[in-house]
């Protein structure tokens, strides 16, 4: 039987959600019997295959134009999109930036912060993603099919979601699998 293709990527994140994915530990071996992990920060391949994947997993909030493009590409190339972690589900800690004006945030980070000398400068290269006016949850940019909150979500919750999908069911999170911690 053909393996289920899964792609993952991260947006504005600390990478803790992908660490939680790896925390399913030896069950990863079992998972990889029926799953092909295509692009992922784990495989260091940056784009989901053009022919598409069955399941796309995004962690992190959408804070800049680059992340917006990554989220849209993942949506276009996957059948089922999962948002994992509070940052992806509702902006999480990244959305604290929304309390401030974007220029104020850039000035604080690149010019005024204590570790910056007098030469501090806000990067303006057109090659860099431009900060959005506000940080967004993934579902404010593209349609999300399954939300898995938590900071990070427990490995068992991620395992539950993946095994439910492999069984052909859309996972419904309840009990210990549904956490906002
Ligand atoms: S939800 Fe928590 S663990 Fe996941 S990327 Fe955001 S801050 Fe990190």
């Amino acid at each position: 039987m053909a393996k289920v293709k899964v792609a993952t990527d991260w947006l504005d994140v600390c990478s803790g959600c992908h660490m939680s994915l790896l925390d399913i530990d030896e069950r990863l071996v079992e998972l990889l019997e029926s799953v092909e992990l295509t692009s992922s920060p784990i495989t260091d391949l940056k784009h989901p295959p053009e022919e598409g994947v069955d399941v796309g997993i995004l962690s992190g909030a959408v804070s800049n134009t680059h992340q917006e493009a990554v989220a849209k590409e993942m949506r276009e190339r996957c059948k089922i999109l999962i948002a994992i972690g509070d940052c992806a589900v509702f902006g999480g800690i990244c959305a604290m930036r929304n309390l401030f004006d974007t220029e104020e945030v850039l000035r604080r980070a690149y010019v005024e912060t204590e570790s910056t000398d007098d030469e501090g400068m806000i990067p303006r290269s057109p090659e860099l993603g431009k900060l959005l006016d506000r940080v967004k949850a993934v579902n404010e940019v593209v349609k999300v099919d399954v939300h898995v909150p938590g900071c990070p979500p427990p490995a068992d919750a991620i395992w539950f979601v993946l095994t439910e999908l492999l069984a052909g069911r859309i996972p419904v999170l309840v009990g210990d699998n549904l956490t906002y911690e």
Side-chain angles (χ1 to χ4, degrees), residues 4-155:
V4 173
K5 291 189 178 177
V6 176
T8 84
D9 212 335
W10 52 29
L11 306 168
D12 193 354
V13 276
C14 74
S15 81
C17 287
H18 270 73
M19 294 301 112
S20 201
L21 172 61
L22 292 176
D23 273 348
I24 64 178
D25 295 331
E26 67 275 8
R27 290 173 290 182
L28 272 174
V29 177
E30 187 184 329
L31 195 65
L32 289 174
E33 286 171 8
S34 45
V35 162
E36 178 189 341
L37 190 59
T38 62
S39 62
S40 167
I42 300 165
T43 61
D44 203 27
L45 296 173
K46 306 292 185 200
H47 300 277
E50 278 182 31
E51 66 272 21
V53 294
D54 299 294
V55 178
I57 299 175
L58 287 176
S59 65
V62 183
S63 298
N64 65 31
T65 50
H66 170 71
Q67 292 154 0
E68 204 170 40
V70 170
K72 286 179 179 172
E73 183 179 73
M74 182 67 90
R75 177 68 275 182
E76 282 165 14
R77 295 185 180 183
C78 74
K79 293 177 188 157
I80 295 174
L81 180 61
I82 308 174
I84 62 167
D86 287 352
C87 296
V89 171
F90 56 81
I93 198 167
C94 309
M96 289 174 70
R97 196 256 277 176
N98 293 345
L99 298 171
F100 304 94
D101 172 76
T102 304
E103 276 302 308
E104 197 182 343
V105 169
L106 287 168
R107 201 170 54 249
R108 174 66 186 145
Y110 291 101
V111 179
E112 296 172 354
T113 191
E114 289 71 12
S115 58
T116 303
D117 61 20
D118 294 342
E119 305 293 315
M121 184 168 55
I122 297 172
R124 302 283 188 193
S125 166
E127 291 178 3
L128 296 173
K130 190 169 176 296
L131 280 192
L132 302 177
D133 289 343
R134 52 179 283 275
V135 175
K136 297 175 183 175
V138 175
N139 72 4
E140 292 182 89
V141 176
V142 294
K143 177 176 174 285
V144 172
D145 301 298
V146 181
H147 291 90
V148 189
C151 182

